[in-house]
């Protein structure tokens, strides 16, 4: 079958936002234009697609955005798009607006939707955008670098006051199912404990014992990084204080980790991934996911990528426990 001619592409952001998404959008728009394509921005992810919130974009639509957090296209979660009817409606709306190809910037859920659109004849390319780093086929996701740097700075500050007051501090970082932010901050901040959804066995007594021993050795602070997926940091703090006699405070960093100006790495990698996505569409590719693997920017079949499994790297976890 002859490849479909691509004249106009769309771009949307979907799921949780991530710093660097604007850099990716900017690269999609400018690369597509350089290839002679027209570009439409779809607002609010799949929800905006179904509501036909579609705007024309040109080079200047993305001026002054590379340094900005969030997403200029806004983002949303959309239940209707999970249904076959919603997906068909989405594909029909793309056709109605002359959108031959689509770049979807988001996480695994968004890519499932992208795969469905590809099967319905809309050439679709995914770009990994999530602070969680939880997409199996790629070693980099847009926003992770900024998020861990934001969290690291905040944890350094908490460590100062924790030391002054000789307290234990539990700091909850984002990651409902994935502990990468917790692990990286745990290493970067030299935390005494790193609690990951993938590894935590729930043995709070062991933590209490280690705090008591550390106190006997004269340790002034005790930093526990707790991933959102384990949660309950406030009640954990109360129990630890009661069991150890060490004043304990909990801080939940929350959505501050999703905002802010992207780091250099997030700007550069997001730009390369966005440009690659637009190039793939210009070449007539579909149902592909842009990824970073073994030092190279590559792309995978969406369904194959979604089948891949990811886990915390055991050696990183072991090293963190050994050196902290
Ligand atoms: P992320 O893309 O970050 O993983 P979500 O899991 O919330 O975020 O997914 C974002 C959106 O992708 C959902 O709100 C929905 O519109 C769409 N989506 C999720 N799962 C599917 C699916 N199985 N089929 C089609 N679309 C889906
Ligand atoms: O996927 C990114 C993420 O920030 C997760 O770490 C977190 O569990 C979730 O999104 C929070 O989502 P919401 O924006 O709905 O609170």
């Amino acid at each position: 079958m002859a490849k479909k001619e691509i004249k106009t592409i769309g771009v949307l952001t979907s799921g949780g936002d991530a710093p660097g998404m604007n850099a990716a959008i900017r690269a999609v728009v400018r690369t597509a234009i350089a290839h002679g394509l027209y570009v439409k921005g779809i607002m609010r992810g799949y929800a905006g697609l179904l509501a036909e919130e579609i705007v024309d974009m040109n080079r200047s639509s993305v001026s002054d955005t590379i340094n900005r957090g969030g997403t200029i296209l806004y983002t949303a979660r959309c239940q209707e798009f999970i249904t076959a009817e919603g997906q068909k409606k989405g594909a029909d709306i793309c056709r109605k607006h002359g959108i031959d190809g689509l770049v979807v910037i988001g996480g695994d859920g968004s890519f499932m939707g992208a795969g469905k659109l590809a099967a319905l004849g809309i050439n679709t390319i995914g770009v990994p955008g999530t602070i969680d780093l939880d997409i199996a086929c790629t070693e980099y996701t847009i926003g992770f670098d900024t998020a861990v740097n934001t969290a690291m700075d905040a944890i350094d500050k908490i460590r100062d006051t924790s030391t002054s007051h000789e307290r234990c501090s539990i700091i909850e970082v984002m990651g409902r199912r994935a502990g990468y932010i917790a692990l990286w901050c745990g290493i970067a901040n030299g935390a005494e404990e790193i609690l990951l959804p993938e590894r935590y066995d729930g043995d709070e007594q062991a933590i209490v014992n280690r705090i008591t021993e550390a106190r006997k050795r004269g340790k002034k602070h005790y930093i526990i990084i707790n991933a959102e997926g384990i949660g309950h940091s406030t009640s954990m703090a109360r129990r630890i204080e009661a069991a150890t006699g060490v004043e304990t405070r909990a801080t939940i960093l929350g959505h501050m980790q999703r905002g802010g100006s992207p780091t250099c790495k997030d700007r550069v990698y997001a730009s390369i991934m966005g440009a690659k996505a637009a190039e793939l569409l210009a070449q007539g590719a579909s149902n592909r996911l842009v990824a970073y693997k073994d030092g190279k920017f590559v792309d995978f079949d969406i369904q194959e990528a979604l089948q891949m499994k990811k886990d915390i790297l055991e050696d990183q976890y072991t090293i963190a426990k050994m050196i902290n």
Side-chain angles (χ1 to χ4, degrees):
M1 203 171 70
K3 271 190 180 166
K4 183 169 91 177
E5 197 197 344
I6 305 293
K7 290 196 188 123
T8 302
I9 68 162
V11 53
L12 62 80
T13 48
S14 167
D17 66 346
M21 279 183 164
N22 286 328
I25 297 166
R26 174 175 174 273
V28 168
V29 170
R30 294 194 171 170
T31 306
I33 291 170
H35 283 275
L37 305 177
Y38 294 98
V39 186
K40 296 195 186 225
I42 298 163
M43 312 299 286
R44 301 179 180 81
Y46 296 122
L49 174 63
L50 298 187
E52 296 188 56
E53 293 181 62
I54 299 171
V55 296
D56 290 330
M57 296 188 89
N58 54 38
R59 282 186 65 86
S60 60
S61 315
V62 288
S63 299
D64 277 330
T65 60
I66 195 161
N67 54 328
R68 282 165 53 191
T71 158
I72 56 165
L73 294 176
Y74 300 94
T75 186
R77 296 189 170 100
C78 173
Q79 277 302 316
E80 188 186 352
F81 197 74
I82 297 176
T83 66
E85 299 75 47
Q87 292 150 17
K88 184 178 175 305
K89 183 175 163 191
D92 288 342
I93 290 170
C94 284
R95 278 186 274 272
K96 176 176 160 192
H97 288 263
I99 296 172
D100 316 298
L102 184 64
V103 177
V104 172
I105 306 167
D108 278 343
S110 305
F111 300 146
M112 284 189 219
K116 301 286 170 46
L117 279 178
L120 291 165
I122 307 302
N123 285 16
T124 309
I125 307 290
V127 172
T130 166
I131 64 164
D132 288 348
L133 193 64
D134 62 345
I135 298 172
C137 70
T138 184
E139 291 155 15
Y140 166 83
T141 62
I142 296 171
F144 174 76
D145 191 59
T146 307
V148 284
N149 277 289
T150 301
M152 183 188 74
D153 286 346
I155 296 164
D156 278 346
K157 294 184 172 95
I158 293 168
R159 186 192 182 111
D160 290 344
T161 166
S162 196
T163 306
S164 308
H165 288 262
E166 299 177 63
R167 281 175 175 157
C168 169
S169 287
I170 302 178
I171 300 137
E172 187 171 312
V173 296
M174 272 191 157
R176 205 170 288 160
R177 281 177 294 271
Y180 300 98
I181 298 177
L183 178 59
W184 276 57
C185 287
I187 296 172
N189 294 97
E192 279 68 32
E193 302 278 345
I194 310 171
L195 311 184
L196 310 177
E198 297 91 338
R199 293 287 184 279
Y200 184 51
D201 58 6
D203 189 356
E204 217 168 90
Q205 186 57 47
I207 300 174
V208 165
N209 295 345
R210 286 193 288 269
I211 295 172
T212 308
E213 282 160 25
R215 205 28 72 108
K216 278 193 203 138
R217 289 199 310 273
K219 217 166 174 42
K220 297 293 180 223
H221 61 249
Y222 201 91
I223 303 289
I224 302 174
I225 309 288
N226 185 31
E228 179 191 358
I230 296 164
H232 304 290
S233 296
T234 308
S235 54
M236 196 187 283
R238 272 198 299 270
R239 287 193 300 274
I240 285 177
E241 180 167 313
T244 59
V246 177
E247 260 194 323
T248 304
R249 296 286 187 270
T251 308
I252 299 168
L253 296 184
H255 289 83
M256 70 178 291
Q257 295 159 94
R258 285 237 298 261
S261 181
T263 58
C264 180
K265 178 171 182 174
D266 274 329
R267 294 180 199 197
V268 173
Y269 279 37
S271 296
I272 294 169
M273 285 184 153
K276 191 164 167 63
E279 264 165 10
L280 283 166
L281 283 178
Q283 290 157 9
S286 180
N287 200 47
R288 306 295 294 173
L289 189 48
V290 178
Y292 180 80
K293 197 143 187 74
D294 301 329
K296 291 193 196 75
F297 292 94
V298 292
D299 54 282
F300 290 96
D301 174 88
I302 289 185
Q303 284 74 30
E304 281 174 21
L306 290 174
Q307 291 299 314
M308 295 178 193
K309 297 274 173 283
K310 189 166 193 174
D311 193 10
I312 289 294
L313 293 172
E314 195 55 45
D315 59 338
Q316 289 186 10
Y317 185 53
T318 309
I319 288 168
K321 283 195 294 187
M322 197 156 51
I323 63 179
N324 286 0

